[in-house]
């Protein structure tokens, strides 16, 4: 089984910009592009394979042909769906203030799955902020009153951000990406979002974009965030590369590598590796890799080598 290079799926939400084209060289097909789905096996977006034995095949077709366990690993079998969705996000404008349900609520109400996610900040304007939870604990009634009185933004925890910041956002956390932030997002494989506040914006249909207040009131935890805005681990200087744990958990684990020479990694029967190239260029075995490339290393693959001057995120289950 070979390493798969994946073609992104692009989304043109109204808050998107041009950096996925200008910084990464993607031909997105849109004047403004909000998201590139770099690992996607979802009804709202599906990668295709670029090159090799499965060239042009949809990712779900490869899963069906190879088998989920062989391709993605034993750890994925505990999920009733392919477990992760990985994105590049260009927030030219503010995203809506929003919240995602947990698995129990999402499966019961939406026939979908919940969404815990994490953000690694790739770049940010000096003015860039993110909304991450509340300044102080509120009751559900206080949250509702803040929405109705248009004072919600005063209650939310605003955080200035810079390149290298990391946010771990559990389902039920109220949050938003602010204008001027470029983000790599690793999340549960869900597209279920409840908008709480949207700055009065008008959608493509000429009408105000839909809000989901009642559902947001059902699922939101109205408290300050429990996690700090930094990776779970410190940078470690190793031979030929820098290594850092961004997060580790039951849903997904994410690691950052900054390679100056080379590093050898391995997949085993438990999980695939997904590689998202953040900067630079190099090789993954014999495959050329550059900024913006997305590679899927099957669980059955074994040892592989990354070489060059290249920075990347590696995600596994």
């Amino acid at each position: 089984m070979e390493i798969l290079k994946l073609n992104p799926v692009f989304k043109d939400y109204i808050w998107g910009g041009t950096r996925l084209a200008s910084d990464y060289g993607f031909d997105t097909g849109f004047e403004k592009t909000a998201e590139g789905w770099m690992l996607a096996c979802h009804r709202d977006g599906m990668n295709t394979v670029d090159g090799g034995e499965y060239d042009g095949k949809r990712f779900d077709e490869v899963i069906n042909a190879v088998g989920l366990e062989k391709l993605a690993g034993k750890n994925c079998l505990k999920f009733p769906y392919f477990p992760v969705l990985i994105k590049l996000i260009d927030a030219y404008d503010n995203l809506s203030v929003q919240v995602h349900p947990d698995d129990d609520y999402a499966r019961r109400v939406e026939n979908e799955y919940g969404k815990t996610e994490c953000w690694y900040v790739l770049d940010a304007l000096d003015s860039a902020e993110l909304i991450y939870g509340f300044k102080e604990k509120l009751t559900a009634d206080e949250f509702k009153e803040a929405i109705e009185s248009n004072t919600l933004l005063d209650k939310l925890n605003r955080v200035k951000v810079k390149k290298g910041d990391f946010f771990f956002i559990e389902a039920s956390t109220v949050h938003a990406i602010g204008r001027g932030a470029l983000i790599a997002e690793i999340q549960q494989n869900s597209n279920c979002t409840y908008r709480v506040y949207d700055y009065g914006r008008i959608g493509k249909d000429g009408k105000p974009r839909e809000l989901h207040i009642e559902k947001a009131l059902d699922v939101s935890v109205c408290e300050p965030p429990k996690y700090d805005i930094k990776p779970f681990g410190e940078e470690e200087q190793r031979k030929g590369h820098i290594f850092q744990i961004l997060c580790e958990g039951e849903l997904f684990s994410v690691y950052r590598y900054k390679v100056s020479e080379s590093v050898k990694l391995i997949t085993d029967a438990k999980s695939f590796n997904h590689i998202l190239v953040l900067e630079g260029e190099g090789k993954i075995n014999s495959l050329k890799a550059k900024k913006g490339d997305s590679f899927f290393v099957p669980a059955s693959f074994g040892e592989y080598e990354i070489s060059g001057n290249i920075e990347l995120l590696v995600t596994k289950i």
Side-chain angles (χ1 to χ4, degrees):
M1 183 69 198
E2 62 192 7
I3 296 174
L4 305 176
K5 184 179 180 182
L6 302 177
N7 293 312
V9 177
F10 297 106
K11 303 291 182 178
D12 65 336
Y13 307 136
I14 63 174
W15 44 262
T18 59
R19 296 192 66 174
L20 296 187
S22 64
D23 290 26
Y24 292 88
F26 292 130
D27 180 6
T28 69
F30 301 120
E31 182 179 348
K32 291 186 176 181
T33 307
E35 297 180 351
W37 291 18
M38 313 308 293
L39 175 58
C41 185
H42 192 275
R43 64 193 181 200
D44 294 334
M46 185 73 61
N47 295 132
T48 57
V49 177
D50 181 5
E53 179 183 357
Y54 296 98
D55 185 40
K57 295 289 187 183
R58 288 164 43 115
F59 190 60
D60 59 344
E61 292 176 333
V62 180
I63 292 174
N64 291 335
V66 176
L68 181 62
E69 182 174 348
K70 183 177 180 181
L71 186 74
K74 291 181 179 179
N75 289 349
C76 293
L77 298 180
K78 64 186 179 182
F79 300 95
Y81 59 102
F82 187 81
V84 291
L85 175 59
I86 297 176
K87 303 175 180 176
L88 290 174
I89 298 176
D90 176 16
Y92 179 78
D93 199 356
N94 294 316
L95 277 70
S96 61
V97 179
Q98 57 191 244
V99 65
H100 309 296
D102 62 17
D103 282 340
D104 178 67
Y105 188 93
R107 293 180 72 175
R108 178 165 46 86
V109 176
E110 306 290 352
N111 193 29
E112 171 70 292
Y113 297 95
K115 183 177 173 182
T116 288
E117 61 192 298
C118 65
W119 299 334
Y120 181 71
V121 180
L122 302 174
D123 196 16
L125 299 179
D126 290 341
S127 60
E129 295 181 333
L130 303 182
I131 290 171
Y132 184 37
F134 290 80
K135 293 178 182 177
E136 57 186 31
K137 186 174 181 178
L138 301 182
T139 66
D141 286 342
E142 288 171 333
F143 180 31
K144 183 178 181 181
E145 194 279 330
I147 295 170
E148 292 174 345
S149 64
N150 201 30
T151 60
L152 177 63
L153 294 183
D154 298 331
K155 308 294 185 182
L156 295 170
N157 179 45
R158 293 173 175 269
V159 183
K160 286 278 190 181
V161 294
K162 64 183 184 305
K163 182 177 180 178
D165 285 344
F166 179 78
F167 293 74
F168 187 81
I169 303 166
E170 289 184 325
S172 301
T173 303
V174 176
H175 63 277
I177 301 173
R179 68 165 56 93
L182 186 67
I183 302 283
E185 177 179 281
I186 296 89
Q187 58 162 92
Q188 283 183 271
N189 191 11
S190 170
N191 202 27
C192 186
T193 297
Y194 299 148
R195 293 193 197 105
V196 182
Y197 179 81
D198 196 41
Y199 306 92
R201 285 184 292 203
I202 303 299
K204 294 179 182 179
D205 59 1
K207 300 177 182 179
R209 296 209 300 169
E210 182 182 7
L211 300 179
H212 314 91
I213 302 302
E214 292 303 320
K215 290 179 178 178
L217 289 170
D218 283 345
V219 305
S220 296
V221 173
C222 305
E223 298 178 358
K226 68 171 70 173
Y227 297 99
D228 201 353
I229 57 166
K230 64 180 183 179
F232 286 19
E234 300 295 328
E235 286 190 349
E236 300 177 24
Q237 181 67 58
R238 298 180 177 181
K239 184 178 180 181
H241 69 281
I242 292 170
F243 169 76
Q244 186 174 32
I245 298 171
L246 296 188
C247 67
E248 290 183 319
E250 292 185 0
L251 295 172
F252 47 74
S253 298
V254 187
Y255 309 93
R256 184 176 71 92
Y257 291 85
K258 189 171 184 180
V259 179
S260 54
E261 297 176 11
S262 68
V263 59
K264 290 184 177 180
L265 303 179
I266 191 168
T267 62
D268 57 25
K270 293 182 179 179
S271 176
F272 65 89
N273 284 182
H274 177 264
I275 299 169
L276 177 61
V277 181
L278 305 181
E279 295 285 353
E281 58 184 28
K283 289 186 175 182
I284 302 173
N285 284 353
S286 61
L287 294 173
K288 292 182 179 180
K290 67 181 188 309
K291 180 177 179 177
D293 282 347
S294 170
F295 297 92
F296 186 93
V297 186
S300 57
F301 191 83
E303 186 177 83
Y304 62 99
E305 183 175 26
I306 300 170
S307 60
N309 188 359
I310 190 169
E311 184 176 0
L312 45 92
L313 297 183
V314 175
T315 300
K316 67 179 184 179
I317 303 303

